[in-house]
Amino acid sequence: MEEKVLDILEELCDDDIVRSNLNINLLEEGLMDSLDYTSLIIMLEDELGIVISPSEYTREESDTPAKIIEIVRSKL
């Protein structure tokens, strides 16, 4: 599951740094914006069969690869 999440993040961010630094702030580093977050939710739902409401988590709760992995883990 973690690898699948990182694959999706790498595709969206167009940068493999998401694999080497799980604590990088995706927003502050300009790797993702709000449209990318919407795409992320859709891709996670399609690929992993989970449901995440866009209003369920704040940006601060989902601004690093590590936090996103934990969210997905809690949904499985």
Side-chain angles (χ1 to χ4, degrees):
M1 171 278 301
E2 185 174 329
E3 282 302 311
K4 180 54 88 177
V5 173
L6 292 174
D7 289 344
I8 292 169
L9 285 172
E10 185 176 355
E11 180 181 336
L12 284 173
C13 296
D14 197 30
D15 196 322
D16 64 356
I17 194 167
V18 298
R19 292 181 179 281
S20 59
N21 183 356
L22 295 180
N23 293 308
I24 189 168
N25 189 302
L26 301 170
L27 297 168
E28 288 178 3
E29 296 299 323
L31 295 169
M32 289 183 71
D33 60 24
S34 56
L35 182 58
D36 292 323
Y37 270 99
T38 302
S39 297
L40 173 65
I41 289 171
I42 292 167
M43 292 172 83
L44 290 171
E45 289 180 349
D46 288 347
E47 295 286 329
L48 300 171
I50 60 174
V51 177
I52 301 173
S53 169
S55 61
E56 194 170 353
Y57 298 96
T58 65
R59 284 189 175 193
E60 291 77 23
E61 293 173 320
S62 59
D63 59 3
T64 69
K67 290 178 183 177
I68 294 168
I69 289 167
E70 285 306 311
I71 289 169
V72 172
R73 186 172 285 127
S74 74
K75 296 290 184 176
L76 293 175

